């Protein structure tokens, strides 16, 4: 664990706190095939994961996020790896911890299970809570400084993940982030959750940060979302930190592949506006690279 770990709860309230960028698009850049189990690379290709963490740390982020987004037993079962959940998470945390050393922070990544909870889907909420707790426990054993629950679209699953993470976290912070799209004049998750629904249900659970990541928005729309999101959170809480991990804009389809074309400079300019809107924790989601994080960190730190 980082020697600074106990103070991360306070650290994320300072402005700004820079997170890393995408793991998935960096893995593709390292030659990993789409459809492979990215999280199993923690076991059999730790050097690739470590290289990506190091590139983001050199770019100037304060915290790296573990390569464990899909390392719950449900997502791993699609690769026949459900039984390996604990060791994949512990290894992922150890790789990030070694890269970050004692000076930088490690957040353990928890993503969605990939199915809906009952009655809409097949997933039992108690079993899911147990699965997320197994993941969080293994991340803790591997040395994380806190947890980030990301890319959530359903409130029931988000709440179950928060309960599981908080059952393990002790004094360590829990950050929670949902994915919003444009829905007419407003922003909603794929499952129809509005900003107001999300913040009013999540803030009472005493998370340390609430925010948004990914989705299918342009940079201008991420800035607009930030303004609405901050207003909605601050109407309920002065204390909780707010996070954002925008994609590098909307992907364009090029020869059947999703390509993110936003430059590091344009990304940094949008991130500065997101920061000015009151978002203190900022990183990047799909399509962002170490160059995007470096440009953003420089811009935000010199203007704040
Ligand atoms: Zn993303």
């Amino acid at each position: 664990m980082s020697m600074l770990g106990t103070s991360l709860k306070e650290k994320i309230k300072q402005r700004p706190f820079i997170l890393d960028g995408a793991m998935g698009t960096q893995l593709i850049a390292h030659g990993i095939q789409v459809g492979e189990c990215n999280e199993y690379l923690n076991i059999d290709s730790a050097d690739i994961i470590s290289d990506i963490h190091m590139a983001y740390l050199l770019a100037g982020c304060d915290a790296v996020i573990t390569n464990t987004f899909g390392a719950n037993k449900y997502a791993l079962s699609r690769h026949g790896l459900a039984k390996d959940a604990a060791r994949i998470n512990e290894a992922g945390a150890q790789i990030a911890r070694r890269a970050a050393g004692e000076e930088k922070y490690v957040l353990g990544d928890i993503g969605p299970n990939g199915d809906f909870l009952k009655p809409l889907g097949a997933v039992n909420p108690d079993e899911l809570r147990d699965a997320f707790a197994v993941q969080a426990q293994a991340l803790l054993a591997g040395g994380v400084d806190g947890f980030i629950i990301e890319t959530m679209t359903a409130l029931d699953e988000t709440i179950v993940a928060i309960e599981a993470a908080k059952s393990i976290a002790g004094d360590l912070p829990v950050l929670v982030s949902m994915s919003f799209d444009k829905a007419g004049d407003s922003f909603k998750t794929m499952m129809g959750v509005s900003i107001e629904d999300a913040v009013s249900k999540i803030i009472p659970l005493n998370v340390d940060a609430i925010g948004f990541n990914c989705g299918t928005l342009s940079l201008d729309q991420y800035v607009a979302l930030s303004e609405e999101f901050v207003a909605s959170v601050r109407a309920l809480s002065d204390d909780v930190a707010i996070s954002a991990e925008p994609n590098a804009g909307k992907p364009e389809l090029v020869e059947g592949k999703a390509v993110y074309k936003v430059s590091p400079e344009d990304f940094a300019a949008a991130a500065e506006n997101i920061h000015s809107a009151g978002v203190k924790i900022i990183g990047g989601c799909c399509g962002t690279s170490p160059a995007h994080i470096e440009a953003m960190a420089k811009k935000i730190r010199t203007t704040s």
Side-chain angles (χ1 to χ4, degrees):
M1 183 178 303
S2 167
M3 291 170 65
L4 305 169
T6 49
S7 64
L8 183 55
K9 271 185 191 246
E10 291 307 312
K11 184 93 179 165
I12 57 174
K13 292 176 185 173
Q14 295 170 9
R15 132 189 336 240
F17 189 82
I18 308 286
L19 303 178
D20 64 6
M23 176 60 74
T25 32
Q26 289 303 295
L27 288 173
I28 293 166
H30 278 70
I32 303 298
Q33 300 296 310
V34 174
E36 269 189 54
C37 178
N38 287 349
E39 290 77 14
Y40 197 72
L41 298 170
N42 296 341
I43 304 293
D44 72 359
S45 301
D47 52 337
I48 294 177
I49 305 306
S50 182
D51 285 351
I52 294 171
H53 288 322
M54 290 304 301
Y56 281 121
L57 290 160
L58 283 170
C61 64
D62 296 302
V64 289
I65 297 174
T66 58
N67 177 43
T68 57
F69 177 76
N72 61 75
K73 75 168 183 185
Y74 298 89
L76 290 173
S77 73
R78 293 173 200 118
H79 301 280
L81 294 167
K83 286 194 167 56
D84 295 297
R87 72 179 184 122
I88 288 172
N89 281 286
E90 186 166 352
Q94 288 169 339
I95 296 164
R97 178 81 276 154
R98 276 196 297 272
E102 302 300 325
E103 302 300 315
K104 299 291 179 82
Y105 295 93
V106 174
L107 291 172
D109 201 12
I110 295 174
N113 81 86
D115 191 3
F116 303 121
L117 272 69
K118 290 176 177 174
L120 200 56
V123 176
N124 175 302
D126 292 329
E127 191 181 337
L128 179 63
R129 193 180 299 104
D130 288 347
F132 282 140
V134 165
Q135 184 177 14
Q137 181 65 56
L139 289 165
L140 183 68
V144 300
D145 300 305
F147 300 91
I148 184 163
I149 298 163
E150 290 186 302
T151 323
M152 288 288 170
T153 59
L155 258 178
D156 51 3
E157 180 173 26
T158 307
I159 291 166
V160 162
I162 294 168
E163 289 167 350
K166 286 190 73 78
S167 75
I168 302 298
D171 286 338
L172 300 183
V174 175
L175 290 61
V176 180
S177 179
M178 296 190 81
S179 292
F180 291 90
D181 302 312
K182 193 81 185 157
D185 287 340
S186 62
F187 295 100
K188 285 191 172 156
T189 74
M190 190 180 71
M191 298 302 291
V193 180
S194 69
I195 296 172
E196 289 71 22
D197 288 344
V199 303
S200 66
K201 295 291 194 310
I202 292 171
I203 287 176
L205 302 177
N206 287 317
V207 297
D208 296 279
I210 181 169
F212 56 86
N213 74 294
C214 212
T216 54
L217 301 175
S218 68
L219 290 180
D220 287 346
Q221 289 172 332
Y222 282 117
V223 175
L225 170 59
S226 302
E227 289 162 359
E228 284 189 37
F229 199 90
V230 170
S232 190
V233 172
R234 288 295 166 242
L236 297 176
S237 168
D238 291 330
D239 195 45
V240 69
I242 302 174
S243 69
E245 299 163 282
N247 294 341
K250 265 188 187 170
E252 295 172 35
L253 271 184
V254 179
E255 292 169 3
K257 287 181 187 170
V259 178
Y260 293 86
K261 291 191 168 174
V262 166
S263 69
E265 292 69 29
D266 289 348
F267 183 77
E272 187 182 26
N273 290 331
I274 290 169
H275 179 251
S276 302
V279 175
K280 294 171 187 171
I281 305 170
I282 310 187
C285 204
C286 300
T288 58
S289 68
H292 291 83
I293 298 304
E294 184 171 13
M296 175 182 83
K298 275 190 182 139
K299 185 141 197 143
I300 290 177
R301 287 194 178 118
T302 53
T303 54
S304 65

